[in-house]
Amino acid sequence: MQEGAKLRQEGDLLGAIRIFEGLANQGPYEPELWMQLGETVAQGFDFPRALRIYADVARVAPSAPEPFRMAGMVTEQMGEYEQAYTWYTKALKNHRAAGLRTGLGLCLTNLGNCCFRMGLDREGAQHHENAFQAYRLATDPVEIYARGMLKLAYGKWRSGWRDFEARLQTPQSRRDRLAHLVHARIEKAPQWKGQPGRVVIFAEMGSG
């Protein structure tokens, strides 16, 4: 599985998929392996196949929240918001049933976003408020980054941008080879604090 993860990190999605598929066909069904395959397939924008993979994992592990959340994400990417809402709701139910804190904020954020896309503004705002509560003690860079994105969406600029910097430590960022170059420039550049002088601005977001 590590070899497949390494190929995916290097941007060789087809190679990673071949590795994951080979491993999946050799032994008993391993949900984590299929989740890795689903993530790689989704990264290659094959959302229908990724959905099938996540749905299979959800059937094998019906009490686990993550397969349902990931199924919701790819379904939302496909524009099927009502179906995504159903997946996210099940993921949230599993989170609460298991008393899991890790990943709860992400699930609530996804569900809130989906509600807004469906015109369910009041429900979406409530899920986002609950997400802020769930994110309070977040230590995972993925969750801190997501919290920053949510803060920025609600106009909490100062703390939002501070949390947003966690994007440099997320697995997705580390997989992006071009982003590595951008991040290296960011780390070496002196921070601008409003002093007079010339400021060079270069694009970072969308570099992948």
Side-chain angles (χ1 to χ4, degrees), residues 71-108:
M73 290 185 67
V74 295
T75 306
E76 189 173 359
Q77 289 283 347
M78 295 162 61
E80 301 290 341
Y81 300 134
E82 291 186 3
Q83 188 178 354
Y85 179 90
T86 300
W87 285 112
Y88 289 141
T89 300
K90 178 60 178 175
L92 180 59
K93 180 180 178 181
N94 285 354
H95 264 292
R96 288 173 171 165
L100 298 174
R101 301 299 301 176
T102 302
L104 177 59
L106 297 174
C107 185
L108 288 163

mmCIF file of all heavy atoms in Angstrom, residues 71-108:
data_model
loop_
_atom_site.group_PDB
_atom_site.id
_atom_site.type_symbol
_atom_site.label_atom_id
_atom_site.label_comp_id
_atom_site.label_asym_id
_atom_site.label_seq_id
_atom_site.Cartn_x
_atom_site.Cartn_y
_atom_site.Cartn_z
ATOM 1 N N ALA A 71 -18.233 9.538 0.046
ATOM 2 C CA ALA A 71 -19.269 9.322 -0.970
ATOM 3 C C ALA A 71 -20.071 10.600 -1.186
ATOM 4 O O ALA A 71 -20.431 10.950 -2.317
ATOM 5 C CB ALA A 71 -20.186 8.180 -0.552
ATOM 6 N N GLY A 72 -20.339 11.315 -0.095
ATOM 7 C CA GLY A 72 -21.034 12.592 -0.208
ATOM 8 C C GLY A 72 -20.233 13.610 -0.989
ATOM 9 O O GLY A 72 -20.782 14.359 -1.822
ATOM 10 N N MET A 73 -18.928 13.639 -0.781
ATOM 11 C CA MET A 73 -18.089 14.618 -1.465
ATOM 12 C C MET A 73 -18.064 14.388 -2.974
ATOM 13 O O MET A 73 -18.199 15.335 -3.750
ATOM 14 C CB MET A 73 -16.668 14.572 -0.895
ATOM 15 C CG MET A 73 -16.564 15.109 0.520
ATOM 16 S SD MET A 73 -14.856 15.171 1.136
ATOM 17 C CE MET A 73 -14.165 16.427 0.076
ATOM 18 N N VAL A 74 -17.891 13.119 -3.390
ATOM 19 C CA VAL A 74 -17.841 12.882 -4.835
ATOM 20 C C VAL A 74 -19.219 13.069 -5.463
ATOM 21 O O VAL A 74 -19.332 13.540 -6.607
ATOM 22 C CB VAL A 74 -17.256 11.487 -5.158
ATOM 23 C CG1 VAL A 74 -15.811 11.405 -4.722
ATOM 24 C CG2 VAL A 74 -18.071 10.365 -4.544
ATOM 25 N N THR A 75 -20.273 12.722 -4.711
ATOM 26 C CA THR A 75 -21.625 12.933 -5.229
ATOM 27 C C THR A 75 -21.905 14.424 -5.388
ATOM 28 O O THR A 75 -22.521 14.853 -6.373
ATOM 29 C CB THR A 75 -22.670 12.306 -4.280
ATOM 30 O OG1 THR A 75 -22.349 10.933 -4.067
ATOM 31 C CG2 THR A 75 -24.065 12.396 -4.872
ATOM 32 N N GLU A 76 -21.425 15.215 -4.444
ATOM 33 C CA GLU A 76 -21.598 16.665 -4.536
ATOM 34 C C GLU A 76 -20.829 17.213 -5.733
ATOM 35 O O GLU A 76 -21.306 18.119 -6.428
ATOM 36 C CB GLU A 76 -21.127 17.320 -3.236
ATOM 37 C CG GLU A 76 -21.464 18.785 -3.133
ATOM 38 C CD GLU A 76 -21.132 19.361 -1.767
ATOM 39 O OE1 GLU A 76 -20.655 18.616 -0.887
ATOM 40 O OE2 GLU A 76 -21.335 20.568 -1.588
ATOM 41 N N GLN A 77 -19.637 16.664 -5.984
ATOM 42 C CA GLN A 77 -18.865 17.082 -7.155
ATOM 43 C C GLN A 77 -19.622 16.796 -8.446
ATOM 44 O O GLN A 77 -19.467 17.506 -9.445
ATOM 45 C CB GLN A 77 -17.512 16.355 -7.179
ATOM 46 C CG GLN A 77 -16.537 16.805 -6.113
ATOM 47 C CD GLN A 77 -15.890 18.134 -6.441
ATOM 48 O OE1 GLN A 77 -15.975 18.623 -7.557
ATOM 49 N NE2 GLN A 77 -15.253 18.741 -5.465
ATOM 50 N N MET A 78 -20.448 15.765 -8.421
ATOM 51 C CA MET A 78 -21.236 15.404 -9.588
ATOM 52 C C MET A 78 -22.514 16.229 -9.706
ATOM 53 O O MET A 78 -23.282 16.070 -10.657
ATOM 54 C CB MET A 78 -21.584 13.913 -9.526
ATOM 55 C CG MET A 78 -20.361 12.992 -9.631
ATOM 56 S SD MET A 78 -20.674 11.297 -9.052
ATOM 57 C CE MET A 78 -21.957 10.768 -10.181
ATOM 58 N N GLY A 79 -22.751 17.108 -8.738
ATOM 59 C CA GLY A 79 -23.923 17.968 -8.774
ATOM 60 C C GLY A 79 -25.187 17.315 -8.249
ATOM 61 O O GLY A 79 -26.277 17.884 -8.375
ATOM 62 N N GLU A 80 -25.061 16.144 -7.616
ATOM 63 C CA GLU A 80 -26.214 15.436 -7.051
ATOM 64 C C GLU A 80 -26.346 15.816 -5.578
ATOM 65 O O GLU A 80 -26.003 15.055 -4.680
ATOM 66 C CB GLU A 80 -26.029 13.924 -7.216
ATOM 67 C CG GLU A 80 -25.872 13.468 -8.655
ATOM 68 C CD GLU A 80 -27.171 13.602 -9.445
ATOM 69 O OE1 GLU A 80 -28.245 13.698 -8.825
ATOM 70 O OE2 GLU A 80 -27.101 13.602 -10.692
ATOM 71 N N TYR A 81 -26.866 17.010 -5.317
ATOM 72 C CA TYR A 81 -26.831 17.554 -3.967
ATOM 73 C C TYR A 81 -27.748 16.806 -2.988
ATOM 74 O O TYR A 81 -27.393 16.618 -1.825
ATOM 75 C CB TYR A 81 -27.188 19.039 -3.999
ATOM 76 C CG TYR A 81 -26.244 19.862 -4.846
ATOM 77 C CD1 TYR A 81 -26.721 20.810 -5.747
ATOM 78 C CD2 TYR A 81 -24.861 19.668 -4.759
ATOM 79 C CE1 TYR A 81 -25.849 21.543 -6.535
ATOM 80 C CE2 TYR A 81 -23.991 20.404 -5.540
ATOM 81 C CZ TYR A 81 -24.487 21.337 -6.427
ATOM 82 O OH TYR A 81 -23.616 22.055 -7.207
ATOM 83 N N GLU A 82 -28.901 16.386 -3.435
ATOM 84 C CA GLU A 82 -29.802 15.671 -2.536
ATOM 85 C C GLU A 82 -29.208 14.331 -2.116
ATOM 86 O O GLU A 82 -29.313 13.936 -0.950
ATOM 87 C CB GLU A 82 -31.166 15.477 -3.190
ATOM 88 C CG GLU A 82 -31.942 16.778 -3.368
ATOM 89 C CD GLU A 82 -33.358 16.536 -3.878
ATOM 90 O OE1 GLU A 82 -33.743 15.358 -4.028
ATOM 91 O OE2 GLU A 82 -34.062 17.528 -4.125
ATOM 92 N N GLN A 83 -28.576 13.649 -3.047
ATOM 93 C CA GLN A 83 -27.927 12.386 -2.716
ATOM 94 C C GLN A 83 -26.739 12.636 -1.789
ATOM 95 O O GLN A 83 -26.495 11.873 -0.840
ATOM 96 C CB GLN A 83 -27.464 11.665 -3.979
ATOM 97 C CG GLN A 83 -26.948 10.258 -3.729
ATOM 98 C CD GLN A 83 -26.538 9.549 -5.011
ATOM 99 O OE1 GLN A 83 -26.749 10.066 -6.104
ATOM 100 N NE2 GLN A 83 -25.955 8.371 -4.882
ATOM 101 N N ALA A 84 -25.978 13.704 -2.068
ATOM 102 C CA ALA A 84 -24.857 14.052 -1.203
ATOM 103 C C ALA A 84 -25.342 14.345 0.207
ATOM 104 O O ALA A 84 -24.720 13.941 1.198
ATOM 105 C CB ALA A 84 -24.110 15.261 -1.771
ATOM 106 N N TYR A 85 -26.462 15.046 0.314
ATOM 107 C CA TYR A 85 -27.054 15.356 1.622
ATOM 108 C C TYR A 85 -27.343 14.066 2.396
ATOM 109 O O TYR A 85 -27.077 13.980 3.600
ATOM 110 C CB TYR A 85 -28.336 16.159 1.420
ATOM 111 C CG TYR A 85 -29.075 16.533 2.686
ATOM 112 C CD1 TYR A 85 -28.796 17.722 3.339
ATOM 113 C CD2 TYR A 85 -30.040 15.687 3.220
ATOM 114 C CE1 TYR A 85 -29.482 18.073 4.507
ATOM 115 C CE2 TYR A 85 -30.714 16.020 4.385
ATOM 116 C CZ TYR A 85 -30.436 17.210 5.010
ATOM 117 O OH TYR A 85 -31.109 17.545 6.176
ATOM 118 N N THR A 86 -27.857 13.063 1.710
ATOM 119 C CA THR A 86 -28.154 11.784 2.358
ATOM 120 C C THR A 86 -26.887 11.107 2.856
ATOM 121 O O THR A 86 -26.836 10.602 3.984
ATOM 122 C CB THR A 86 -28.888 10.844 1.376
ATOM 123 O OG1 THR A 86 -30.099 11.465 0.960
ATOM 124 C CG2 THR A 86 -29.187 9.506 2.022
ATOM 125 N N TRP A 87 -25.842 11.119 2.034
ATOM 126 C CA TRP A 87 -24.569 10.526 2.450
ATOM 127 C C TRP A 87 -23.993 11.261 3.658
ATOM 128 O O TRP A 87 -23.543 10.635 4.628
ATOM 129 C CB TRP A 87 -23.565 10.573 1.299
ATOM 130 C CG TRP A 87 -23.764 9.590 0.198
ATOM 131 C CD1 TRP A 87 -24.129 9.859 -1.090
ATOM 132 C CD2 TRP A 87 -23.600 8.161 0.255
ATOM 133 N NE1 TRP A 87 -24.201 8.705 -1.835
ATOM 134 C CE2 TRP A 87 -23.880 7.651 -1.031
ATOM 135 C CE3 TRP A 87 -23.244 7.281 1.268
ATOM 136 C CZ2 TRP A 87 -23.799 6.295 -1.343
ATOM 137 C CZ3 TRP A 87 -23.168 5.922 0.973
ATOM 138 C CH2 TRP A 87 -23.451 5.440 -0.310
ATOM 139 N N TYR A 88 -23.973 12.587 3.608
ATOM 140 C CA TYR A 88 -23.418 13.372 4.710
ATOM 141 C C TYR A 88 -24.214 13.162 6.004
ATOM 142 O O TYR A 88 -23.630 13.087 7.093
ATOM 143 C CB TYR A 88 -23.419 14.863 4.361
ATOM 144 C CG TYR A 88 -22.420 15.288 3.322
ATOM 145 C CD1 TYR A 88 -22.757 16.241 2.353
ATOM 146 C CD2 TYR A 88 -21.128 14.784 3.305
ATOM 147 C CE1 TYR A 88 -21.844 16.669 1.409
ATOM 148 C CE2 TYR A 88 -20.207 15.196 2.347
ATOM 149 C CZ TYR A 88 -20.575 16.136 1.406
ATOM 150 O OH TYR A 88 -19.664 16.558 0.470
ATOM 151 N N THR A 89 -25.512 13.083 5.881
ATOM 152 C CA THR A 89 -26.353 12.886 7.067
ATOM 153 C C THR A 89 -26.036 11.558 7.727
ATOM 154 O O THR A 89 -25.975 11.460 8.973
ATOM 155 C CB THR A 89 -27.848 12.943 6.684
ATOM 156 O OG1 THR A 89 -28.132 14.226 6.101
ATOM 157 C CG2 THR A 89 -28.727 12.756 7.907
ATOM 158 N N LYS A 90 -25.844 10.511 6.927
ATOM 159 C CA LYS A 90 -25.471 9.210 7.482
ATOM 160 C C LYS A 90 -24.098 9.267 8.132
ATOM 161 O O LYS A 90 -23.875 8.680 9.210
ATOM 162 C CB LYS A 90 -25.495 8.156 6.367
ATOM 163 C CG LYS A 90 -25.081 6.760 6.811
ATOM 164 C CD LYS A 90 -25.969 6.201 7.908
ATOM 165 C CE LYS A 90 -25.552 4.793 8.285
ATOM 166 N NZ LYS A 90 -26.334 4.252 9.437
ATOM 167 N N ALA A 91 -23.159 9.965 7.510
ATOM 168 C CA ALA A 91 -21.826 10.111 8.099
ATOM 169 C C ALA A 91 -21.909 10.803 9.453
ATOM 170 O O ALA A 91 -21.258 10.382 10.422
ATOM 171 C CB ALA A 91 -20.921 10.903 7.150
ATOM 172 N N LEU A 92 -22.710 11.853 9.531
ATOM 173 C CA LEU A 92 -22.865 12.581 10.787
ATOM 174 C C LEU A 92 -23.493 11.683 11.852
ATOM 175 O O LEU A 92 -23.075 11.699 13.021
ATOM 176 C CB LEU A 92 -23.718 13.827 10.563
ATOM 177 C CG LEU A 92 -23.977 14.710 11.785
ATOM 178 C CD1 LEU A 92 -22.664 15.204 12.384
ATOM 179 C CD2 LEU A 92 -24.862 15.899 11.399
ATOM 180 N N LYS A 93 -24.475 10.903 11.463
ATOM 181 C CA LYS A 93 -25.113 9.975 12.393
ATOM 182 C C LYS A 93 -24.094 8.982 12.948
ATOM 183 O O LYS A 93 -24.084 8.686 14.152
ATOM 184 C CB LYS A 93 -26.254 9.235 11.692
ATOM 185 C CG LYS A 93 -26.988 8.249 12.576
ATOM 186 C CD LYS A 93 -28.103 7.557 11.803
ATOM 187 C CE LYS A 93 -28.815 6.520 12.673
ATOM 188 N NZ LYS A 93 -29.895 5.838 11.911
ATOM 189 N N ASN A 94 -23.224 8.470 12.084
ATOM 190 C CA ASN A 94 -22.199 7.527 12.529
ATOM 191 C C ASN A 94 -21.197 8.189 13.460
ATOM 192 O O ASN A 94 -20.729 7.580 14.423
ATOM 193 C CB ASN A 94 -21.481 6.927 11.315
ATOM 194 C CG ASN A 94 -22.321 5.901 10.586
ATOM 195 O OD1 ASN A 94 -23.406 5.537 11.050
ATOM 196 N ND2 ASN A 94 -21.843 5.443 9.442
ATOM 197 N N HIS A 95 -20.829 9.438 13.157
ATOM 198 C CA HIS A 95 -19.921 10.180 14.041
ATOM 199 C C HIS A 95 -20.512 10.277 15.445
ATOM 200 O O HIS A 95 -19.835 10.006 16.443
ATOM 201 C CB HIS A 95 -19.688 11.586 13.490
ATOM 202 C CG HIS A 95 -18.448 11.717 12.659
ATOM 203 N ND1 HIS A 95 -17.189 11.617 13.190
ATOM 204 C CD2 HIS A 95 -18.282 11.941 11.334
ATOM 205 C CE1 HIS A 95 -16.287 11.781 12.237
ATOM 206 N NE2 HIS A 95 -16.932 11.979 11.096
ATOM 207 N N ARG A 96 -21.738 10.671 15.519
ATOM 208 C CA ARG A 96 -22.381 10.881 16.813
ATOM 209 C C ARG A 96 -22.606 9.569 17.548
ATOM 210 O O ARG A 96 -22.454 9.501 18.773
ATOM 211 C CB ARG A 96 -23.684 11.638 16.619
ATOM 212 C CG ARG A 96 -23.451 13.101 16.244
ATOM 213 C CD ARG A 96 -24.728 13.825 15.883
ATOM 214 N NE ARG A 96 -24.479 15.261 15.742
ATOM 215 C CZ ARG A 96 -25.318 16.104 15.166
ATOM 216 N NH1 ARG A 96 -26.479 15.664 14.667
ATOM 217 N NH2 ARG A 96 -25.022 17.392 15.077
ATOM 218 N N ALA A 97 -22.943 8.518 16.820
ATOM 219 C CA ALA A 97 -23.164 7.218 17.450
ATOM 220 C C ALA A 97 -21.876 6.670 18.056
ATOM 221 O O ALA A 97 -21.894 6.034 19.124
ATOM 222 C CB ALA A 97 -23.722 6.226 16.431
ATOM 223 N N ALA A 98 -20.753 6.934 17.396
ATOM 224 C CA ALA A 98 -19.470 6.427 17.883
ATOM 225 C C ALA A 98 -18.777 7.389 18.839
ATOM 226 O O ALA A 98 -17.765 7.035 19.450
ATOM 227 C CB ALA A 98 -18.550 6.146 16.695
ATOM 228 N N GLY A 99 -19.316 8.605 18.973
ATOM 229 C CA GLY A 99 -18.689 9.599 19.840
ATOM 230 C C GLY A 99 -17.346 10.072 19.324
ATOM 231 O O GLY A 99 -16.480 10.468 20.109
ATOM 232 N N LEU A 100 -17.164 10.060 18.005
ATOM 233 C CA LEU A 100 -15.887 10.461 17.413
ATOM 234 C C LEU A 100 -15.797 11.974 17.294
ATOM 235 O O LEU A 100 -16.731 12.623 16.853
ATOM 236 C CB LEU A 100 -15.732 9.831 16.029
ATOM 237 C CG LEU A 100 -15.695 8.303 15.971
ATOM 238 C CD1 LEU A 100 -15.694 7.839 14.515
ATOM 239 C CD2 LEU A 100 -14.467 7.769 16.688
ATOM 240 N N ARG A 101 -14.659 12.521 17.683
ATOM 241 C CA ARG A 101 -14.427 13.961 17.528
ATOM 242 C C ARG A 101 -13.622 14.257 16.264
ATOM 243 O O ARG A 101 -13.887 15.226 15.570
ATOM 244 C CB ARG A 101 -13.665 14.514 18.747
ATOM 245 C CG ARG A 101 -14.388 14.301 20.073
ATOM 246 C CD ARG A 101 -15.739 14.998 20.106
ATOM 247 N NE ARG A 101 -15.625 16.435 19.909
ATOM 248 C CZ ARG A 101 -16.665 17.250 19.816
ATOM 249 N NH1 ARG A 101 -17.894 16.753 19.876
ATOM 250 N NH2 ARG A 101 -16.498 18.548 19.647
ATOM 251 N N THR A 102 -12.626 13.406 15.977
ATOM 252 C CA THR A 102 -11.822 13.612 14.774
ATOM 253 C C THR A 102 -12.684 13.441 13.530
ATOM 254 O O THR A 102 -13.370 12.434 13.372
ATOM 255 C CB THR A 102 -10.658 12.608 14.722
ATOM 256 O OG1 THR A 102 -9.851 12.756 15.891
ATOM 257 C CG2 THR A 102 -9.808 12.841 13.485
ATOM 258 N N GLY A 103 -12.659 14.432 12.676
ATOM 259 C CA GLY A 103 -13.426 14.380 11.440
ATOM 260 C C GLY A 103 -14.836 14.919 11.547
ATOM 261 O O GLY A 103 -15.508 15.108 10.530
ATOM 262 N N LEU A 104 -15.296 15.172 12.784
ATOM 263 C CA LEU A 104 -16.670 15.655 12.956
ATOM 264 C C LEU A 104 -16.850 17.036 12.329
ATOM 265 O O LEU A 104 -17.858 17.302 11.658
ATOM 266 C CB LEU A 104 -17.022 15.696 14.441
ATOM 267 C CG LEU A 104 -18.413 16.242 14.795
ATOM 268 C CD1 LEU A 104 -19.509 15.425 14.125
ATOM 269 C CD2 LEU A 104 -18.609 16.257 16.318
ATOM 270 N N GLY A 105 -15.877 17.916 12.530
ATOM 271 C CA GLY A 105 -15.973 19.257 11.964
ATOM 272 C C GLY A 105 -16.021 19.234 10.450
ATOM 273 O O GLY A 105 -16.771 19.989 9.827
ATOM 274 N N LEU A 106 -15.224 18.340 9.838
ATOM 275 C CA LEU A 106 -15.233 18.220 8.382
ATOM 276 C C LEU A 106 -16.603 17.772 7.886
ATOM 277 O O LEU A 106 -17.118 18.304 6.892
ATOM 278 C CB LEU A 106 -14.172 17.211 7.931
ATOM 279 C CG LEU A 106 -12.708 17.555 8.228
ATOM 280 C CD1 LEU A 106 -11.810 16.393 7.853
ATOM 281 C CD2 LEU A 106 -12.292 18.815 7.475
ATOM 282 N N CYS A 107 -17.190 16.803 8.587
ATOM 283 C CA CYS A 107 -18.498 16.298 8.193
ATOM 284 C C CYS A 107 -19.555 17.393 8.293
ATOM 285 O O CYS A 107 -20.378 17.563 7.384
ATOM 286 C CB CYS A 107 -18.867 15.107 9.076
ATOM 287 S SG CYS A 107 -20.396 14.296 8.602
ATOM 288 N N LEU A 108 -19.535 18.141 9.377
ATOM 289 C CA LEU A 108 -20.497 19.220 9.562
ATOM 290 C C LEU A 108 -20.305 20.329 8.531
ATOM 291 O O LEU A 108 -21.276 20.905 8.028
ATOM 292 C CB LEU A 108 -20.378 19.780 10.978
ATOM 293 C CG LEU A 108 -20.908 18.873 12.100
ATOM 294 C CD1 LEU A 108 -20.368 19.320 13.446
ATOM 295 C CD2 LEU A 108 -22.435 18.882 12.110
#
